[in-house]
Amino acid sequence: MVRQSKFWGFVHRFRLVLLGTIATGAYLTLLWILRSSTYFSDPLLDTYLQMAGSLIAFTFAANALVRFRGTHDRISLILAFGFVLAGLIEAGTSMTFYRGMLVTVASGNHISLGWLAGRTLLGILLLAALTVERRIPVARDPAKEMAGATLLVGAAAYLTSVFYFMIPDAPRIHPGALIPRPWDLVPAAIYLAAAIGYGWRLRRADASLDRALFVAAVLNVICHVTISQSQHVLDASFTLAHALMVLSYVVVLGGTLLDNAQLFDQVSRMAASDSLTGLANHRRMLEVLETEIQRSRRTGRSFAVLLFDLDGLKKINDRYGHLIGSRAIKRLGIALRGSSRTIDTPARYGGDEFALVMPESSEQEAHLAATRICDQLARDGQDPQITVSVGQAVYPTDGTTIEKILGAADKALYQMKGRGQKKMRMGNVAALI
């Protein structure tokens, strides 16, 4: 029993090493199977794969630019330009390859320089984006950021193309060698460095795009190690490598789409909520009131509106400072949220005025809600102690339009505020607690 416990403790301690060893062994077995396979894909299938990758690259670029406009994330900006170039190179390479296959059935024994240049360029830009993000300060002008990214991508593309196209002869495939396509290990090494860099970045960044870039870099390492075992164009290793390349593009696009969806959701929430309290803002409150009026007309049931005014906010600001005044506003917002039902809509009406829209509620229910909120403020234990004036109105008794309902509640609030009374009053009356 003790030996078994020690064994499982050892396995748990070194589980990552064991899993890595198993995965490496499975991958090497797969490479051996691919090298032994007699499979050759249709040239049209490979063209479709590369064209699909190009379209996904263009789609990612468009979404990455949207992300940059919203977050000024320079990694997105640089990679947007990089994926456009990579997509163009791959599209041109695939069409050239397919036209060549129509002329001659022979698959050839040379590695496409366009393939090497495009893949190396994208790997270099992944590393460059990391370097720029960490080392170069953010510019305040987005136009300067775009100009800098264009210059960086252009320089990387020029140097990469010069490096590859100055080679006298296109790199050859060496069937039967341990590594038939050694040149593909160059981009594999670049993507490995990118995978390590983005893996370290995940310690301080948790966006979907950051995780997607790490996974995509790993997939590209596997892609180029796999194609390095390709002994002939269009064989099993060649086809799988192209499929992995397209999969990496899909992963990056998916991460960008998730981030953009979260960004749009955040913008929508900010458009409908108050930045200080997190409650609904004036615009959202009017939308809820219109919805409740339409609902009440259909069901014949009433709803109530409570208006709250924070007493003496100017005195609090003058005596304690605006920071304490803002905290007092937040305290009222917390009391509204904590003392209302899930179907209610607490909102910051404006300045130090708040509202609570209560569906399916009568005068008595509105009165009880106002009492709960005032009691919570009195018991929050924070200094300075704050009080509120409350006015209520009920649809359709006090009005059948938004203006009349709010006007009735506002009138009741200021009538009671002017009297300075310290008790709750039923009906269309305000209270000062």
Side-chain angles (χ1 to χ4, degrees), residues 299-318:
T299 63
R301 299 177 181 177
S302 63
F303 72 88
V305 176
L306 292 174
L307 290 186
F308 298 83
D309 185 271
L310 185 60
D311 297 325
L313 180 61
K314 185 177 184 306
K315 293 180 180 179
I316 294 175
N317 287 332
D318 292 342

Side-chain angles (χ1 to χ4, degrees), residues 309-313 316 320 324-335 354 373-389 432-433:
D309 185 271
L310 185 60
D311 297 325
L313 180 61
I316 294 175
Y320 299 98
I324 301 299
S326 297
R327 188 176 301 169
I329 292 174
K330 292 176 67 175
R331 287 166 59 190
L332 177 52
I334 293 171
F354 291 74
I373 293 166
C374 293
D375 287 345
Q376 181 168 338
L377 277 177
R379 297 195 309 267
D380 72 354
Q382 299 186 46
D383 291 324
Q385 187 174 3
I386 58 175
T387 61
V388 292
S389 299
L432 186 63
I433 300 299

